[in-house]
Amino acid sequence: MKSEAVLMRKVAVGGFVSLLLLAGCGGGTSNNQTTSSGSNPSFPTISLLAPNCAPAGEPVQLQVVGTNFAASSVVRWNGSARPTTMDAINGLIAQISASDVASAGTAAVTVFNPGAGGGSSNALTFTINSGAVAPQSIAVDPAGKFAYVASGGCGGDASMYTINPTTGALAFIGPPVPTNDEFTDSMTVDPSGKFAYVASSGDVWDIDFGSVVAYTINPTTGALTSTTGGITGTGINGTPEFFNSVAVDPSGKFAYAADGGAFPAGSFGGDSSVSMYTINSTTGALTFTGMIAAGSGPDSVAVDPAGKFAYVTNFESNDVSMYTIDATSGALASIGTIAAGPGPVSVAVDPAGKFVYVANWRYDTEGSISMYTIDATTGALTFIGSIAAGTSAFSVAVDPAGKFAYVANWTGNDADGSVSMYTIDDTTGVLTPTGTIATELSPTSIAIHPSGKFAYVTNSGSNSVSMYSIDSATGKLTLIGTIGT
């Protein structure tokens, strides 16, 4: 990476790297400034804050990691004590209220040990942002009225927008809502437009386990309300899971989560599997129904438009797992795997259910798109070739008419990304490039409006969403503008 402002939270171990960018958030490190502790080795020292930032107005459960903490240690916020408890794994946990982070700015965090021999630690800076940080994924509701963005920094949030039906422009509904987990990865809206789901791969730094959180959608305002559908994963061997992606089948009865995790396969929290759920049609709550093995490091999941088949990209094993779906139970049954390019991170099925496209990510190197046809009877994929994409291809989407495909290219930290544009041969499924268009920093996700008239790209490095109109004849994008998250 080119900048300390970007944190890779899925570390490169055994080849597994799935980049979701945290733009300076997630874990603060010691600034080594002189404090009242002087040189006394028994005084407390802070080495890390997790998170070290938050959106304005959102309360924070702050983890303070360091040395020489005691049961009587107190975390201080700008010099004032805050409710503090010991955490056996990570040190201290302090409760930071909404009023503490009411407006954008910074705060100094210290730890004080009372009594004889006590004293105050060094100070680390906590940043309060005006909006959510490091957007990772965007989804548009089926009616095209609302858009939702999962953000991966500062504790994880969901930003909400209305969509202007004429211009495609986004407008904030209100401040971001918490996702109850740090480092969110995937935002999905169910086919009815009643529920939204956010998948999180957790935090490898403070062993924050992943989850899938459910929300109801207000049909009039589009506002999200957390429901009783939060799932904290437990893997095949009883270890916690870290979810990379969630998809809902077209009937809205079943959901599937790729459990590639924040750790490599076989390690703590590193199950390579797909979790299966049924969906409560009234509340949207998820009920776990089982797991099925995938390849190594599953990263993205998609369901075909008929709800008969599911496909999962496996980042470590460079292949795609294929499944049939039981129409009654929603259970998956494996029908094998097929090779993809290096680092497959995103999968999309065309709206006719004839073709599958996989974005293959390579750090700081030209990416590619693997193309497949679908056997309408068995669901098996047949490889029909690959085509170049931009640097570090990260997310692929197909327009609702099945005429055009788009790939968001992450490119690299501190550099504008791009979207590669393609036409689709409706007979063969082969893509033909039609050019690229710039985004802002480090794009991570692309979504197409149900009308096929607009496209939206999350820019992780610049905390924004780029908005585009789509030429109905050529599929080419034209920038409408950008909006913060």
Side-chain angles (χ1 to χ4, degrees), residues 50 78 91 146 291 330 376 379 414 479:
N78 287 330
F146 312 117
M291 302 177 71
D414 294 336
L479 182 67

Side-chain angles (χ1 to χ4, degrees), residues 209-485:
F209 305 140
S211 65
V212 179
V213 179
Y215 301 85
T216 57
I217 298 175
N218 184 303
T220 303
T221 67
L224 299 180
T225 301
S226 181
T227 187
T228 55
I231 296 289
T232 299
T234 301
I236 292 173
N237 299 316
T239 57
E241 292 177 283
F242 300 77
F243 301 104
N244 291 331
S245 174
V246 61
V248 177
D249 88 306
S251 72
K253 297 192 299 183
F254 312 116
Y256 306 96
D259 307 337
F263 296 123
S267 70
F268 179 83
D271 284 312
S272 283
S273 56
V274 180
S275 291
M276 302 172 284
Y277 308 90
T278 56
I279 300 175
N280 183 300
S281 61
T282 302
T283 66
L286 303 178
T287 299
F288 178 72
T289 59
M291 302 177 71
I292 188 169
S296 185
D299 208 52
S300 178
V301 58
V303 178
D304 87 303
K308 297 167 59 179
F309 314 118
Y311 304 97
V312 174
T313 58
N314 302 303
F315 187 89
E316 284 188 81
S317 52
N318 298 329
D319 56 18
V320 179
S321 295
M322 304 172 288
Y323 306 90
T324 58
I325 300 175
D326 185 287
T328 302
S329 67
L332 302 181
S334 175
I335 54 175
T337 61
I338 189 169
V345 292
S346 176
V347 59
V349 182
D350 89 302
K354 300 194 308 182
F355 314 118
V356 165
Y357 302 98
V358 171
N360 302 300
W361 179 88
R362 300 180 69 186
Y363 173 63
D364 212 19
T365 303
E366 184 179 83
S368 65
I369 304 301
S370 298
M371 303 174 286
Y372 308 86
T373 57
I374 301 174
D375 185 298
T377 303
T378 67
L381 302 181
T382 298
F383 180 68
I384 57 174
S386 65
I387 191 169
T391 301
S392 302
F394 208 84
S395 176
V396 61
V398 177
D399 87 305
K403 297 167 59 179
F404 313 117
Y406 303 92
V407 176
N409 303 302
W410 174 71
T411 302
N413 181 40
D414 294 336
D416 287 345
S418 65
V419 175
S420 297
M421 301 173 286
Y422 307 86
T423 57
I424 300 174
D425 186 301
D426 62 2
T427 301
T428 66
V430 171
L431 303 181
T432 299
T434 58
T436 62
I437 188 170
T439 67
E440 292 193 345
L441 298 180
S442 307
T444 49
S445 174
I446 183 167
I448 311 300
H449 191 273
S451 69
K453 295 163 59 177
F454 313 112
Y456 304 98
V457 175
T458 53
N459 303 301
S460 177
S462 50
N463 303 329
S464 65
V465 178
S466 295
M467 303 171 286
Y468 304 89
S469 62
I470 300 176
D471 186 293
S472 60
T474 66
K476 291 190 174 182
L477 304 181
T478 298
L479 182 67
I480 299 169
T482 60
I483 188 170
T485 56

Side-chain angles (χ1 to χ4, degrees), residues 6-64:
V6 174
L7 178 64
M8 274 176 52
R9 63 170 165 74
K10 294 182 184 174
V11 291
V13 182
F16 180 49
V17 183
S18 181
L19 271 187
L20 297 185
L21 310 173
L22 300 189
C25 290
T29 56
S30 174
N31 54 14
N32 296 317
Q33 63 189 73
T34 302
T35 71
S36 61
S37 63
S39 59
N40 190 330
S42 67
F43 280 19
T45 299
I46 304 176
S47 57
L48 183 144
L49 303 177
N52 69 349
C53 55
E58 183 180 307
V60 178
Q61 181 170 278
L62 180 64
Q63 297 187 349
V64 181

